[in-house]
Amino acid sequence: MGNMGKENQDSPPTLPGDIIMVEILPYLPAKSVGRFRSVSRAWHTALSSATFVELHLRRANRSGQPRLFFCPGGGEDEYVDVWQPGGAAKKLTPKPDEFWDAAPLTKPLHGLLLVRSKNYSYFVYNPCTGSSLVLPDSIAPMKMSRRRDTATQPRPTSFYRVSYGLGYCSVTSEYKVVRLFSDSYNDVDPPCSEVYVLGKPAYWRPTAQQPPPPMCVVREDNPGVFLGGYLHFLCEDGRIITFHLGNETYGVLLPRLPPPVREDDATEMVELHGSLCVCHGFVGDRDGLYRIWMLQGDQEPRRWKLLCCINLMAWTEPERIRMETGGFPLDTLRWIAPLYMFDSDNDGHQKIMFGTGNRIAFTVEANGGTMETLFKADDDTIADSFADCDHPSLGLFEESLVPVGRTIEEVAFSSPANQAWFHILKWMPARSVANFSLVCREWRAMIMTDRFIHSHVLHANLNKSPRIRMIINPPVVGYIDLQFFSELGAPACGLSLPSSQPCHGLNVGGSRIGSFVCNPIMGYSEDIWFEEDEDESFSGRIGLGYNSKTSKHVLVLAQYKSYLATLEYHLECKLRYVEEQEWRPIDPPPRPILASTAPTFANGKICWLVEPNLGQASLNCEVVAFDVQSEEFEVLQGPQCNHPVGRMSILCLKGVLCVACSNQSINVIDIWMMKDDNGTWLREYHIDLTKFYPEYSSEETTPLAIDPKDGRILLSTGWSLGYYDPKTAELETIYCMGMQEDHWKFSPILCDESLVFTLGLA
């Protein structure tokens, strides 16, 4: 007994575990709590429980002082910075890889933020933990894409505008992202809305009730404001429509907004001090007034009260200097908005904190009085990246451990049943899979994942005969199956509109004034237009490739501008990804490309034929190849034809780069196949068209594909389609329009069974 008492006296004092979990850890920053989760499995379980997360949210945010976080810009910023009054800016968590000039659109909802990246993708983000969840179908929503009419299906409804909002349903404890589409392509269809529930095995789905009539038009830069269980969306006509997060019904908030003083005044809706507020003001005009109206009253009748009126011209010279120090004049600010309202400690007056697009935070008394600068970015390089920012570059910050939820792929493929259906549906035609996506929410979530879409392209096209559709209604491109094209008597044919072979589910094609990238099976299409220069002749061709490492389609425009008087030329080149909208310049190819021939994609490279009439002469034809992973050009030696070369084309057959060369004198086409990377070419096919002339001539005939089932070669002249059998030298015509006196031709396009989506915004 004596020894036991001595041991107890020598042991250090300890605190009970419940005191640590309830009275100490909930007051710590979320980042520190995250470290304590590594102490043991028991601590990890306890500190990750919903009870502790809720307790921590209440206790770690009791200071009452506003705290700001700053999204990294488009430069080399690698961390998210946070700041609160009386302290210096500190680095919080590393920047998510997907963030690109990100803008926080909402106030923190239990620490979660709705963030939009520069490429218009949306995220739910917790800056405390650094975790982010990419919202599916947010870069180019399907409801905002142009889809073409087909012979069997009309054009689906598409919209020009969308507004997102993040809310919380306290009954089901669910976080929901709601998006409202408006301003339809045909000006007739009513607006519609969808909801995405975080952490659930479901995709975007229609809300229980759709927005009420009459027609409302929303703006993407005016996101929904969450308050009192409702999301509030501001319409351009001054109405505010409400969405209840619980029963998913819509209503209209009364009374209407007070009208702005000037028509060009910017209007923005925010939440301040637990009340809904609307701001009127023209940011770029220092002579204008900035007004904030607050909605008062919890029950009808409510009214709008003028909370604050700021006259920039009434500010004293020192106040202006404090704002404009660093080269940011007031009349150049492109974004400014109130963030927070609080009571002043000194005189009891209410103050409003504002944020600007160049990372400045300042306060103004609610009576429009004294201005005080709270924070200004000191690092010139960081500040410069926000100098012309027209979106939020900072936002409010809460300590929070609330998870953003699992990705749609993690949720969808956690079910053994979904995994089984995955391996069944990936072999089916794209249209059938699209119909199966309507069976249930779980199937739709699984089918819409990138994992399924890319697997489906590979499996649904194995050992399949070429799928042929026809391009109709150029230049507004539509697609129709060959069978219907024949039955309708070759509708809307015109000048030939060449297109590429399918590249992992997409095609590219067009003419010298405009191009398109499309999924002909599903009718997805995006038009790509270029400006012509009247003083120079423009020649170029867009190539389409697929980067298997990043799972992204790549568009590359290789072009040259030749001067007619001197025959000199200037090479240019630019690149963009299909799911993004901005082109960027890259180093041009070493040789000009042959603009009259569509490029192809083979072995990870986009390949064009070289223009033989410009630059250094070569005994053989040459190929310009662009590696989509290294983003570098190289020149490959082509086949050495032993006869005068006429019409040439480049294509991919059996996954190998090929060049087709015609000999007009004997009416034959030779197809050369590249056997290795050392430039070894062998003549693989010899197509003799002598007995099929004049319907098929070597100068008008283009090889398109090989049928993997029987080895026959698909040929097109623009008025006839046929399969040539290299074993028997026979040709079977599957469709003939007949030669047209006006030189009109049909334009066939080969298709992959594919669900791959193009940008194609309406």
Side-chain angles (χ1 to χ4, degrees):
M1 292 290 294
N3 292 335
M4 290 180 60
K6 184 177 181 181
E7 289 179 2
N8 290 335
Q9 292 176 1
D10 294 340
S11 61
T14 59
L15 289 174
D18 55 347
I19 293 180
I20 296 176
M21 292 294 174
V22 176
E23 300 299 337
I24 297 178
L25 296 182
Y27 293 92
L28 297 181
K31 191 174 180 179
S32 300
V33 176
R35 296 192 183 103
F36 279 111
R37 286 176 173 174
S38 303
V39 171
S40 66
R41 293 181 180 178
W43 277 42
H44 185 278
T45 301
L47 298 181
S48 301
S49 66
T51 302
F52 180 84
V53 169
E54 182 180 353
L55 178 64
H56 174 268
L57 187 66
R58 294 197 311 267
R59 295 191 170 180
N61 295 285
R62 296 179 61 187
S63 65
Q65 283 190 330
R67 287 176 285 186
L68 300 179
F69 89 99
F70 307 92
C71 279
E76 299 298 326
D77 299 313
E78 297 295 336
Y79 282 84
V80 172
D81 298 322
V82 295
W83 171 87
Q84 67 180 19
K90 299 179 181 179
K91 296 185 181 301
L92 182 64
T93 52
K95 176 187 71 173
D97 294 336
E98 305 88 353
F99 274 29
W100 180 27
D101 203 6
L105 301 180
T106 62
K107 283 192 172 182
L109 175 58
H110 302 165
L112 301 184
L113 296 159
L114 185 63
V115 177
R116 184 182 68 208
S117 186
K118 191 174 182 179
N119 66 349
Y120 297 101
S121 57
Y122 282 78
F123 306 82
V124 175
Y125 176 52
N126 185 335
C128 295
T129 61
S131 56
S132 62
L133 176 69
V134 182
L135 296 180
D137 189 38
S138 62
I139 295 180
M142 297 184 69
K143 287 189 177 295
M144 297 182 70
S145 69
R146 284 194 302 269
R147 294 177 63 179
R148 307 305 189 189
D149 299 319
T150 66
T152 57
Q153 295 186 351
R155 179 199 300 267
T157 301
S158 57
F159 298 89
Y160 285 107
R161 304 196 183 187
V162 65
S163 181
Y164 286 73
L166 172 65
Y168 178 74
C169 177
S170 57
V171 176
T172 60
S173 300
E174 292 177 334
Y175 294 91
K176 298 181 179 181
V177 180
V178 180
R179 59 183 183 183
L180 175 60
F181 296 97
S182 67
D183 199 7
S184 64
Y185 182 78
N186 57 14
D187 295 326
V188 175
D189 295 311
C192 69
S193 60
E194 295 178 329
V195 62
Y196 181 82
V197 183
L198 302 188
K200 297 296 182 180
Y203 198 66
W204 291 101
R205 60 171 175 81
T207 54
Q209 184 187 48
Q210 292 300 301
M215 196 77 70
C216 67
V217 178
V218 294
R219 294 178 59 90
E220 192 165 12
D221 55 4
N222 245 328
V225 174
F226 179 70
L227 182 63
Y230 290 84
L231 275 171
H232 301 75
F233 291 95
L234 178 62
C235 302
E236 285 196 342
D237 62 1
R239 289 184 302 142
I240 296 177
I241 59 175
T242 61
F243 178 81
H244 190 274
L245 271 296
N247 54 29
E248 297 187 3
T249 57
Y250 279 93
V252 178
L253 185 67
L254 295 176
R256 276 179 173 260
L257 295 178
V261 177
R262 299 184 302 187
E263 293 184 358
D264 57 355
D265 279 353
T267 302
E268 185 171 1
M269 186 167 58
V270 296
E271 177 266 322
L272 293 175
H273 218 52
S275 298
L276 194 65
C277 296
V278 172
C279 311
H280 290 151
F282 188 56
V283 173
D285 186 358
R286 61 187 296 171
D287 295 331
L289 299 177
Y290 194 86
R291 295 177 174 86
I292 302 178
W293 297 84
M294 176 179 284
L295 184 63
Q296 293 191 329
D298 297 330
Q299 298 179 350
E300 302 294 344
R302 299 176 175 177
R303 66 186 185 92
W304 291 97
K305 177 186 176 183
L306 184 61
L307 174 68
C308 177
C309 181
I310 302 174
N311 186 353
L312 302 183
M313 291 302 295
W315 284 3
T316 64
E317 193 63 27
E319 291 174 335
R320 292 186 192 174
I321 292 175
R322 286 199 299 271
M323 275 295 294
E324 297 182 355
T325 299
F328 303 116
L330 293 175
D331 56 357
T332 65
L333 290 177
R334 298 172 59 192
W335 178 81
I336 183 173
L339 301 175
Y340 189 78
M341 187 166 70
F342 58 97
D343 295 328
S344 173
D345 295 333
N346 298 328
D347 49 20
H349 293 165
Q350 287 186 323
K351 289 189 175 183
I352 302 174
M353 179 196 296
F354 287 80
T356 70
N358 49 34
R359 279 184 161 183
I360 294 177
F362 66 94
T363 61
V364 175
E365 292 184 357
N367 58 13
T370 306
M371 186 276 293
E372 178 186 1
T373 302
L374 295 180
F375 178 84
K376 184 184 300 182
D378 295 327
D379 189 340
D380 293 337
T381 58
I382 295 178
D384 286 345
S385 67
F386 290 90
D388 296 323
C389 203
D390 59 354
H391 57 74
S393 60
L394 50 84
L396 292 180
F397 164 80
E398 283 183 351
E399 292 289 350
S400 171
L401 295 167
V402 175
V404 297
R406 294 183 293 171
T407 67
I408 187 173
E409 292 197 7
E410 292 171 342
V411 175
F413 291 101
S414 62
S415 164
N418 278 357
Q419 294 181 28
W421 280 112
F422 171 89
H423 293 293
I424 296 174
L425 297 177
K426 69 182 181 182
W427 298 96
M428 303 188 69
R431 286 286 181 183
S432 299
V433 174
N435 292 333
F436 277 118
S437 70
L438 304 178
V439 170
C440 63
R441 296 174 182 175
E442 289 77 9
W443 280 25
R444 179 167 176 79
M446 183 262 294
I447 288 171
M448 297 306 295
T449 61
D450 290 339
R451 177 178 169 183
F452 179 86
I453 290 173
H454 292 302
S455 179
H456 174 262
V457 173
L458 298 176
H459 292 85
N461 296 286
L462 284 177
N463 299 319
K464 296 292 182 66
S465 297
R467 174 74 181 271
I468 307 169
R469 304 199 87 185
M470 292 293 188
I471 298 175
I472 59 173
N473 300 327
V476 182
V477 178
Y479 314 97
I480 187 172
D481 283 331
L482 178 60
Q483 174 186 352
F484 293 107
F485 185 81
S486 177
E487 293 175 356
L488 296 175
C493 288
L495 297 177
S496 179
L497 200 63
S499 59
S500 72
Q501 295 174 289
C503 174
H504 200 76
L506 295 182
N507 300 68
V508 70
S511 63
R512 66 187 299 268
I513 61 173
S515 299
F516 59 89
V517 58
C518 64
N519 177 339
I521 291 293
M522 298 301 296
Y524 307 144
S525 185
E526 177 193 356
D527 296 328
I528 306 171
W529 301 98
F530 303 103
E531 296 181 0
E532 289 187 281
D533 195 319
E534 297 179 355
D535 300 327
E536 301 170 342
S537 62
F538 166 86
S539 297
R541 179 73 68 181
I542 287 186
L544 174 67
Y546 180 74
N547 189 332
S548 57
K549 285 189 175 181
T550 61
S551 300
K552 290 184 178 182
H553 284 85
V554 181
L555 290 172
V556 177
L557 173 62
Q559 61 184 0
Y560 64 90
K561 295 180 180 179
S562 60
Y563 301 86
L564 298 178
T566 62
L567 294 182
E568 296 178 350
Y569 63 88
H570 172 68
L571 295 172
E572 293 180 354
C573 194
K574 51 187 177 181
L575 174 148
R576 59 162 273 203
Y577 292 106
V578 168
E579 62 266 34
E580 298 174 3
Q581 208 162 11
E582 292 188 4
W583 292 87
R584 58 181 173 89
I586 58 176
D587 292 335
R591 297 292 303 277
I593 59 100
L594 185 62
S596 60
T597 302
T600 193
F601 180 72
N603 302 321
K605 299 177 181 179
I606 306 173
C607 300
W608 298 259
L609 288 174
V610 170
E611 170 60 66
N613 298 318
L614 293 174
Q616 183 180 359
S618 175
L619 295 177
N620 302 341
C621 74
E622 294 178 309
V623 175
V624 167
F626 178 80
D627 191 308
V628 297
Q629 292 186 8
S630 65
E631 296 189 0
E632 294 179 349
F633 283 98
E634 62 178 325
V635 177
L636 308 176
Q637 291 298 313
Q640 186 175 2
C641 301
N642 57 6
H643 55 72
V645 176
R647 180 185 176 93
M648 298 183 64
S649 60
I650 188 168
L651 65 162
C652 180
L653 300 176
K654 299 180 180 179
V656 181
L657 181 65
C658 298
V659 173
C661 309
S662 69
N663 188 339
Q664 187 175 5
S665 61
I666 57 176
N667 204 33
V668 299
I669 299 175
D670 290 329
I671 298 180
W672 296 77
M673 186 172 286
M674 190 176 184
K675 291 299 185 178
D676 55 43
D677 295 335
N678 297 323
T680 303
W681 292 82
L682 295 179
R683 191 179 68 176
E684 194 74 11
Y685 300 100
H686 181 76
I687 303 174
D688 189 349
L689 300 174
T690 304
K691 62 181 179 180
F692 310 111
Y693 185 85
E695 184 179 359
Y696 293 89
S697 69
S698 61
E699 290 303 295
E700 297 289 347
T701 302
T702 302
L704 299 180
I706 292 181
D707 192 328
K709 293 183 177 180
D710 53 24
R712 294 190 301 168
I713 304 171
L714 179 64
L715 304 177
S716 173
T717 64
W719 49 75
S720 295
L721 272 175
Y723 278 104
Y724 179 85
D725 192 336
K727 300 176 183 177
T728 63
E730 294 297 327
L731 196 156
E732 177 192 1
T733 298
I734 59 174
Y735 175 73
C736 180
M737 183 176 68
M739 295 185 183
Q740 306 293 308
E741 295 181 357
D742 51 12
H743 302 290
W744 280 20
K745 295 183 177 182
F746 58 67
S747 299
I749 184 168
L750 302 183
C751 314
D752 275 345
E753 291 291 346
S754 168
L755 297 167
V756 178
F757 185 62
T758 63
L759 187 62
L761 294 179

